[in-house]
Amino acid sequence: MTSFKNIKSGIASIALAASMSAAVSLAIPSVAHAQSAKDARTVTLSIGRGQQINLPRDIADITVTSSSIADVEVKTARQIYIHARSPGETTVYATDAAGKNVMVINVRVGKNIDSLEQMLSLAMPEADIVVTTMNGVVLLTGTVDQPEDTAEAERLVSAFVGGGTEVVSRLRTATPLQVNLQVRIAEVSRSLAKEINGNLATRDSGGSGFLFGVQRGRDFVNIGDLDTSGLPTLDASAQFGLPPGSLSLPFDPNTGRFVTSGTQFDFNKLTGGNILQAAGRLFGLDVAAAFDLSERAGLATTLATPNLTTVSGETASFQAGGSFPIPTSSGLGATSVQFQNYGVLLTYTPTVLSDGRISLRVKPEVSDISSQGAVRINGFEIPAITTRTVETTVELGSGQSMMIAGLMSNSMQSSIDKVPGAGDLPIIGSLFRSNGWRKNETELVIVITPYLVKPTDGNKIKLPTDGFNSPNDLERVILNKWNTDKGPESRPAPTVAPSAASSPEFSAVKKQAPAVKSASKKKSSKKQAKASAPGFSFE
């Protein structure tokens, strides 16, 4: 038993010693790492520059983590040179023969701004700026993306050169400042109306002539005695066994009978509805009944795509429609006339921002003349206007679209007019009530799309009238042509004016505007004749 305890305690002591040695071995690298990080030295260099480093003791090996950023040249065991090659950050490790770090160096390489062009290239990499210096004047030429970049370039150059030097800017804006706005207005309006009216009229023609009727809405029938004033009168004595010439009665040539008495039904011709009518004798009574069944369905669609171009910061307006007169009283019995616009109207103000985005203040409007809500004054009818308009401010990029307005309207109306009690009776109660039902649905979408645009050559623009020539009398009458191939091959087009005498240029400006090359008249006319065709195209 005692020997077992001794063995057990021996195993425990061995395990304890092993764990302590492992802990010591794990702690050594961490201490070495802490010492390396503590002793690290930071060196900042510019591209193409170098620095001499003196080491505290001899080294046996040196390592660079990224040789493309910095290179190391060893002169002696205690002296090295670090050369900067490209922008970035790297680390240099110098170790002795035992593998211990003699020195750890963090090298940071950046660009050294030695010239104005290099400074402007770093500040505005998207710009193309050429700097020319002469006689205390700095001239800036080239192009920038935004108008704000011109003032920023002047401020940077003034800060770099200091006072006493004049900065002259002849920079141009590469981004076009003309904005074309395309607005798409799509609307669909559906309406459905139903109405049912019952009418009834009776008369006792055999006795007292008592009349009874129920009527809703319109007068549909007239019941009266048969009108014989237009019928010829013939001798009817033989028909009743009387002596000749003793009885004369009206004779109806259509039926071939003598008319003694009867009922005449006259149905009125009504417009704006569908009417089911019937008339006759029932139980000794003259009866006329009608059902006014009216149903009206309407569909209206509107698609407008106005396009308008204007300069940044300016307001542009567009109208496709017309104006209608409105009489107004101007005092002392005089009447004046004012005109109200209607149709498709567009007003917008674009502003091109520094990052190329476009801020838009836009107000599209679509209006129609409507008879609903019209006002009648002294025999004059002033129509009403149904208007769909929206006004908002949005920010978009060139070619991006946004739906600025959307409407989905669904309304339903139902009404019943009836005679109390009688209108609730089954079957026959339909003659004592009127049922009306109306439903309207409207869907509207307005989408805007701005574009930054540049002017183009007038000869590249196609018109709907290109390629159209009026036919002569022979072609129009005999050949039934509305267009002829004879005529000018192309429409008249303006030509480019000769360039003016160029002003003296600085020698440092290398880029020149390309000269305008005029194509030969034959090639130009053939190309335009081939491209010209009736119709319209955006190509």
Side-chain angles (χ1 to χ4, degrees), residues 92-108:
V92 178
Y93 296 93
T95 58
D96 56 11
K100 297 182 179 180
N101 290 333
V102 176
M103 184 175 290
V104 179
I105 306 172
N106 293 329
V107 182
R108 296 177 182 175

Side-chain angles (χ1 to χ4, degrees), residues 232-276:
T233 302
L234 300 179
D235 186 10
S237 303
Q239 298 290 335
F240 296 94
L242 298 176
S246 60
L247 181 61
S248 297
L249 294 175
F251 181 75
D252 188 357
N254 296 325
T255 61
R257 297 179 182 181
F258 288 96
V259 179
T260 57
S261 63
T263 302
Q264 182 174 349
F265 300 92
D266 295 328
F267 289 108
N268 298 327
K269 295 182 180 180
L270 304 178
T271 59
N274 299 317
I275 303 178
L276 180 62

Side-chain angles (χ1 to χ4, degrees), residues 238-403:
Q239 298 290 335
F240 296 94
L242 298 176
S246 60
L247 181 61
S248 297
L249 294 175
F251 181 75
D252 188 357
N254 296 325
T255 61
R257 297 179 182 181
F258 288 96
V259 179
T260 57
S261 63
T263 302
Q264 182 174 349
F265 300 92
D266 295 328
F267 289 108
N268 298 327
K269 295 182 180 180
L270 304 178
T271 59
N274 299 317
I275 303 178
L276 180 62
Q277 308 178 53
R281 294 187 62 82
L282 181 64
F283 304 115
L285 298 176
D286 299 328
V287 180
F291 284 99
D292 186 359
L293 308 176
S294 177
E295 179 176 346
R296 176 175 296 179
L299 176 64
T301 61
T302 301
L303 177 61
T305 57
N307 287 271
L308 191 60
T309 303
T310 186
V311 180
S312 174
E314 298 294 333
T315 301
S317 60
F318 171 90
Q319 178 184 357
S323 303
F324 65 92
I326 300 177
T328 58
S329 177
S330 58
L332 302 178
T335 303
S336 61
V337 177
Q338 296 181 355
F339 289 88
Q340 176 67 37
N341 296 330
Y342 71 93
V344 180
L345 295 91
L346 171 63
T347 302
Y348 80 102
T349 304
T351 302
V352 181
L353 305 179
S354 59
D355 56 353
R357 297 181 65 82
I358 306 170
S359 177
L360 285 173
R361 181 71 179 179
V362 59
K363 182 181 179 181
E365 178 180 340
V366 179
S367 57
D368 297 321
I369 297 178
S370 175
S371 60
Q372 297 181 356
V375 179
R376 295 173 177 84
I377 302 176
N378 298 329
F380 294 97
E381 180 177 345
I382 302 175
I385 297 180
T386 59
T387 304
R388 284 79 69 200
T389 181
V390 62
E391 183 175 2
T392 184
T393 301
V394 295
E395 183 178 328
L396 296 171
S398 179
Q400 294 181 342
S401 299
M402 180 178 291
M403 186 176 71

